[in-house]
Amino acid sequence: MAVIEVAGLRKAYGRRQVLEDVSFSVQRGEVFGLLGPNGAGKTTAVECCEGLRRADAGTVRVLGLDPLRDRAALRPRVGIQLQQAQLQGALRVGEALELYAAFYPNPRDWRELLDEWGLADQVRTPFDKLSGGQKQRLFIALALIGNPEVAFLDELTTALDPQGRRDTWELIRRIRDEGVTVVLVSHFMDEVEALCDRAAVLDGGRIVATGTPAELIARSGTGGTLGFRPTAPLDLGRLAALRGVTGVEERDGRIEVTGTGDFADEVTGLLAREGIVVTGLRIREHSLDDAYLALTRHDAA
Ligand code: ADP
């Protein structure tokens, strides 16, 4: 069963059409990524799911409910990451968690969340004295305090150092393992590759691709690169004609072949048939980073 079902969503701010026709669905228990360049409409789409914004057209269902009409019923079942401005600076960490726990019928034990998110030593620290990473972790803990079935996390590791990001990934996996469906808005491709079961790429108000990270890489046609140095002359035209090969370059005797699908097997097959021995063989599979750039590449105006 889909936990979130978005169909034909449209939204304009004044004359600016921000969402053109956005449709996606999120299955129960998955970590779903929403990717896209700044201004693509990610936050607007998520806010429509959270019931914070009214779309001009289209339907949104979260746990089978309409986020605007059924707001009261949905609120205790959904976790939303707060924005910085929504917490008072003088509020202590423990007080914030206790306060938010009181809003929910079936909250988590906030002391347990403190431990889980590495904030136990900060229980009496005022919000405005926390480091960027500690604030971020507090926001995530607050999103989870109500024991939600769905959690919306927006740019959750932006303020964290590399270790903090890895630790957060582990915790997101733990949240997922507990059965919480997670919608993750992210700019970081490594994060999406590491965490998301599926992701949608939003660009210019439209979903340009949806799938597992591996499917997105395959669909973008970015494939990979095979580089080597042949020990005998090799006809580059024959390499270029192989199935799946999209580009061949030679520089200082080194050949780089770019392609998709089984292109690497085709290349090594040709080398074997020709009896050409190669040295310095390197293969690089393109990452979600490459796929993302290919999917959202605009011709510069
Ligand atoms: P993203 O999260 O992908 O960066 P947003 O949904 O925040 O995208 O914003 C999409 C576009 O809509 C941006 O150009 C932004 O400036 C504009 N926008 C966002 N909120 C408002 C608003 N309340 N009023 C007018 N324009 C807005």
Side-chain angles (χ1 to χ4, degrees), residues 241-254:
L242 292 174
R243 184 157 47 92
V245 170
T246 53
V248 180
E249 269 182 48
E250 181 174 13
R251 203 174 306 140
D252 302 329
R254 186 170 171 80

Side-chain angles (χ1 to χ4, degrees), residues 90-279:
L91 199 64
R92 295 174 199 278
V93 167
E95 292 169 345
L97 283 160
E98 201 170 7
L99 176 68
Y100 278 82
F103 295 154
Y104 294 94
N106 178 30
R108 298 233 356 223
D109 178 344
W110 63 267
R111 287 184 185 79
E112 203 181 283
L113 272 174
L114 271 185
D115 283 339
E116 223 171 81
W117 290 89
L119 291 167
D121 292 343
Q122 279 74 42
V123 65
R124 297 189 49 75
T125 307
F127 175 70
D128 61 8
K129 294 285 187 298
L130 295 175
S131 73
Q134 289 167 341
K135 284 180 179 166
Q136 201 78 6
R137 282 183 274 135
L138 175 61
F139 285 135
I140 300 169
L142 289 171
L144 300 173
I145 190 86
N147 230 339
E149 290 166 64
V150 187
F152 292 97
L153 303 176
D154 201 335
E155 304 288 345
L156 84 165
T157 63
T158 302
L160 304 183
D161 62 20
Q163 187 56 49
R165 295 182 66 218
R166 296 293 161 142
D167 294 346
T168 304
W169 293 2
E170 269 320 303
L171 289 160
I172 300 296
R173 291 193 182 105
R174 219 152 93 195
I175 298 169
R176 195 241 335 252
D177 293 346
E178 286 168 12
V180 181
T181 305
V182 180
V183 176
L184 198 71
V185 175
S186 180
H187 274 120
F188 295 114
M189 296 305 127
D190 58 345
E191 183 161 292
V192 171
E193 231 167 341
L195 286 182
C196 292
D197 299 297
R198 290 189 313 126
V201 181
L202 193 60
D203 191 26
R206 290 175 193 278
I207 302 281
V208 293
T210 310
T212 64
E215 283 166 354
L216 292 176
I217 293 168
R219 198 164 313 160
S220 70
T222 52
T225 305
L226 186 68
F228 53 85
R229 204 176 276 283
T231 54
L234 177 60
D235 180 354
L236 299 189
R238 294 190 61 196
L239 277 177
L242 292 174
R243 184 157 47 92
V245 170
T246 53
V248 180
E249 269 182 48
E250 181 174 13
R251 203 174 306 140
D252 302 329
R254 186 170 171 80
I255 294 176
E256 299 276 340
V257 185
T258 312
T260 58
D262 295 333
F263 86 101
D265 294 343
E266 296 283 322
V267 173
T268 52
L270 176 72
L271 294 171
R273 284 195 302 280
E274 303 277 315
I276 296 175
V277 174
V278 301
T279 61

Side-chain angles (χ1 to χ4, degrees), residues 10 38 47 65-66 76 80 98 113 174 256 268 295 300:
R10 294 174 60 81
N38 272 332
E47 285 176 349
L65 300 172
D66 179 328
I80 296 177
E98 201 170 7
L113 272 174
R174 219 152 93 195
E256 299 276 340
T268 52
L295 289 165

Side-chain angles (χ1 to χ4, degrees), residues 13 16 18 36-45 53 185 202:
Y13 294 117
R16 180 158 158 55
V18 172
N38 272 332
K42 303 182 294 295
T43 301
T44 302
R53 227 171 252 296
V185 175
L202 193 60

